[in-house]
Amino acid sequence: MRLAGIVSQGSGACNEDAAGHISRNGEVIAAWVFDGVTGINDRNYLPAPTDAAWLVDRAGAHLQELAGQDMALPALLERLVARLEEDWKEAAATLDLPDGYDIPAACLVLVKKFDDGWHALRLGDSMLLVEEERVRLIPPPDSDLNALETFLRDEARRRRAHGLSDFKALLREFHPRLMASRRARNTASNHSILVADRSTLNCPEYIPLGQPASVLLCTDGFYRAVDNYSLMDDAGLMSACREAGGVTRVLQRLRTTEASDPDCERYLRFKPADDASAVMLVR
């Protein structure tokens, strides 16, 4: 397949998302998007704009070397984690981390071409859409994360109704609940995530895709065009992204919609905007 579009844009001063791909002879052989998990520590500790951005940057650099190599996805993930463990060991040796430190984490969805077709690896809740005879969304598995996000959105709406809109204050207040969820990651019935240790290998998704006509990888911030703002449905999103410059135009519509509703009254969400990334591949 060829690259029809790629975009990654932060919603503020720092982008904790990223998108990348590897091509050979004009054909994409692997592509991915990252969605860094917003930290809930008292401050950032790593040498990067945020701790999540540090993990995304290191993981993206490793994938540029690893994703094009001839290895199955489980082996690729194991190699990636081993490299991140070394990165973390080196970085943490110079840090004075507090008790209960929330380690950096990120969602990842990656697709790679093999002799028998395309296969996907997913950790976390980023979205994967494929077009065969029709457009099909492959949603992430149900997990504790869905209920937590719904709770935070509802709580954020309640507070805004009383004139309170400090997102960081919300995270501080519910720190114990957030930490409990994060400590349960990469365990049975809870969501998977990329972190710099071998717990990442516990429950990743591996998804055979066959020979799709097109594939869209996107973070939840980009998928808001469908599930939160109802700007289009899945088929409409794929159609829009397939066009030249399409992913950029979708992102522009997202930002316009977010800017028109800064108090999150029309579209329920716990922060006005989110980082957004997407990669569109077409046959």
Side-chain angles (χ1 to χ4, degrees), residues 130-245:
V130 297
E131 181 181 12
E132 297 151 332
E133 294 182 357
R134 60 182 178 82
V135 172
R136 177 169 61 101
L137 170 68
I138 306 176
D142 288 334
S143 72
D144 62 314
L145 193 59
N146 301 322
L148 179 59
E149 290 185 348
T150 298
F151 167 78
L152 288 174
R153 284 196 297 267
D154 290 341
E155 185 63 21
R157 178 173 59 179
R158 185 184 70 79
R159 288 166 183 247
R160 289 191 189 100
H162 292 84
L164 304 173
S165 58
D166 187 340
F167 174 63
K168 291 184 178 179
L170 178 68
L171 294 183
R172 286 194 298 270
E173 180 171 345
F174 291 100
H175 184 273
R177 181 166 179 172
L178 289 165
M179 279 301 299
S181 173
R182 294 186 180 192
R183 286 174 179 149
R185 296 179 300 201
N186 293 330
T187 60
S189 78
N190 289 284
H191 61 285
S192 61
I193 205 75
L194 176 67
V195 290
D197 66 50
R198 291 184 63 83
S199 69
T200 300
L201 307 178
N202 289 346
C203 50
E205 285 184 86
Y206 297 109
I207 309 164
L209 303 179
Q211 301 287 355
S214 58
V215 175
L216 175 65
L217 319 174
C218 65
T219 60
D220 58 354
F222 190 87
Y223 194 69
R224 278 184 173 182
V226 175
D227 68 356
N228 209 1
Y229 305 143
S230 300
L231 301 178
M232 57 197 77
D233 60 12
D234 289 334
L237 180 63
M238 291 288 275
S239 178
C241 290
R242 194 184 302 113
E243 298 174 359

Side-chain angles (χ1 to χ4, degrees), residues 5-213:
I6 182 169
V7 68
S8 184
Q9 184 187 85
S11 57
C14 172
N15 184 11
E16 294 179 329
D17 273 14
H21 68 97
I22 296 175
S23 295
R24 288 182 186 157
N25 302 318
E27 292 289 317
V28 175
I29 60 170
W32 58 86
V33 294
F34 288 103
D35 183 357
V37 177
T38 301
I40 56 174
N41 298 304
D42 59 339
R43 64 178 179 87
N44 294 305
Y45 288 83
L46 291 160
T50 70
D51 291 358
W54 175 88
L55 181 72
V56 167
D57 178 71
R58 297 308 308 139
H62 294 316
L63 283 184
Q64 286 291 346
E65 296 182 19
L66 294 172
Q69 297 181 22
D70 183 17
M71 68 178 88
L73 290 180
L76 171 59
L77 182 58
E78 187 153 2
R79 295 267 190 95
L80 174 61
V81 169
R83 289 193 178 196
L84 290 174
E85 284 181 311
E86 289 301 313
D87 291 338
W88 175 251
K89 182 178 179 181
E90 180 180 351
T94 65
L95 303 175
D96 183 17
L97 298 175
D99 292 339
Y101 173 74
D102 176 34
I103 62 174
C107 302
L108 166 66
V109 58
L110 174 147
V111 295
K112 182 174 168 62
K113 183 180 180 181
F114 293 89
D115 290 342
D116 65 344
W118 288 81
H119 291 253
L121 156 68
R122 180 163 53 190
L123 297 155
D125 62 357
S126 290
M127 296 296 180
L128 175 62
L129 294 93
V130 297
E131 181 181 12
E132 297 151 332
E133 294 182 357
R134 60 182 178 82
V135 172
R136 177 169 61 101
L137 170 68
I138 306 176
D142 288 334
S143 72
D144 62 314
L145 193 59
N146 301 322
L148 179 59
E149 290 185 348
T150 298
F151 167 78
L152 288 174
R153 284 196 297 267
D154 290 341
E155 185 63 21
R157 178 173 59 179
R158 185 184 70 79
R159 288 166 183 247
R160 289 191 189 100
H162 292 84
L164 304 173
S165 58
D166 187 340
F167 174 63
K168 291 184 178 179
L170 178 68
L171 294 183
R172 286 194 298 270
E173 180 171 345
F174 291 100
H175 184 273
R177 181 166 179 172
L178 289 165
M179 279 301 299
S181 173
R182 294 186 180 192
R183 286 174 179 149
R185 296 179 300 201
N186 293 330
T187 60
S189 78
N190 289 284
H191 61 285
S192 61
I193 205 75
L194 176 67
V195 290
D197 66 50
R198 291 184 63 83
S199 69
T200 300
L201 307 178
N202 289 346
C203 50
E205 285 184 86
Y206 297 109
I207 309 164
L209 303 179
Q211 301 287 355

